[in-house]
Amino acid sequence: MTHIQSPFKTLAAALVLATTMPAMAETLAPVKDIAVTTELSAVSNATAAAYWATLDTDLETAIATRLADRIGDTGAEISIDIEEVSLSNGFTEKLGLADTRIVGDITVKDADDDRRNQYYTLTIDVNRATPMMPVDTDVTTLPADTRVYYTAMVDAFAEGVVEKLR
């Protein structure tokens, strides 16, 4: 037996979906500004400082790319202060993936809706970055000073920040 759905039920479902979609979109906070600060002069290892030299700009870009449809003249201001000591860890004795991590204090201030204000610390290590690497990457042989690893760390950190804004 063939089941034919009533056009009125289909129309009603479409109307419900159409009216709830904008409401769901409104719950996503707009973002006014993203600022990342890393005091590279505080990084104790010169190799680490050179490796992370563009971290501020790269993180701001990675976060803004993920929030492109939410960037506006009003909304939340995201400030990220990267813990410089953690950037040196993978470079101190022997370069290693297990010790390299990005740790940052994140502050989200929304003058339009203070219920969206947040303050937390985000830590990204190899375990959180690995899913951001290309599928064919062998993490057991990948040196931590490669661009693939750096990009995965930045992308994982950006994802962590964006996840908390949803």
Side-chain angles (χ1 to χ4, degrees), residues 20-54:
T20 58
M21 292 292 276
M24 290 190 302
E26 288 174 20
T27 63
L28 299 176
V31 175
K32 178 180 177 179
D33 188 44
I34 302 164
V36 179
T37 305
T38 307
E39 189 178 328
L40 287 175
S41 62
V43 176
S44 60
N45 183 293
T47 305
Y51 180 76
W52 298 108
T54 60

Side-chain angles (χ1 to χ4, degrees), residues 55-84:
L55 182 60
D56 292 1
T57 304
D58 294 341
L59 268 177
E60 287 172 7
T61 302
I63 294 167
T65 300
R66 287 164 172 76
L67 297 173
D69 60 334
R70 294 167 58 182
I71 303 280
D73 294 332
T74 62
E77 295 180 16
I78 303 168
S79 302
I80 301 170
D81 182 22
I82 300 297
E83 179 187 300
E84 292 80 9

Side-chain angles (χ1 to χ4, degrees), residues 36-145:
V36 179
T37 305
T38 307
E39 189 178 328
L40 287 175
S41 62
V43 176
S44 60
N45 183 293
T47 305
Y51 180 76
W52 298 108
T54 60
L55 182 60
D56 292 1
T57 304
D58 294 341
L59 268 177
E60 287 172 7
T61 302
I63 294 167
T65 300
R66 287 164 172 76
L67 297 173
D69 60 334
R70 294 167 58 182
I71 303 280
D73 294 332
T74 62
E77 295 180 16
I78 303 168
S79 302
I80 301 170
D81 182 22
I82 300 297
E83 179 187 300
E84 292 80 9
V85 174
S86 69
L87 298 179
S88 291
N89 289 348
F91 293 85
T92 51
E93 293 177 19
K94 179 184 172 196
L95 193 62
L97 289 174
D99 296 327
T100 304
R101 64 185 185 275
I102 302 173
V103 179
D105 292 325
I106 290 83
T107 302
V108 178
K109 291 185 180 179
D110 191 331
D112 300 324
D113 186 352
D114 63 0
R115 294 174 297 165
R116 295 184 184 184
N117 292 346
Q118 300 177 42
Y119 178 81
Y120 60 95
T121 299
L122 178 62
T123 301
I124 298 297
D125 60 11
V126 68
N127 296 319
R128 293 266 318 257
T130 302
M132 299 294 183
M133 293 181 188
V135 177
D136 59 346
T137 303
D138 182 358
V139 294
T140 61
T141 60
L142 180 68
D145 63 348

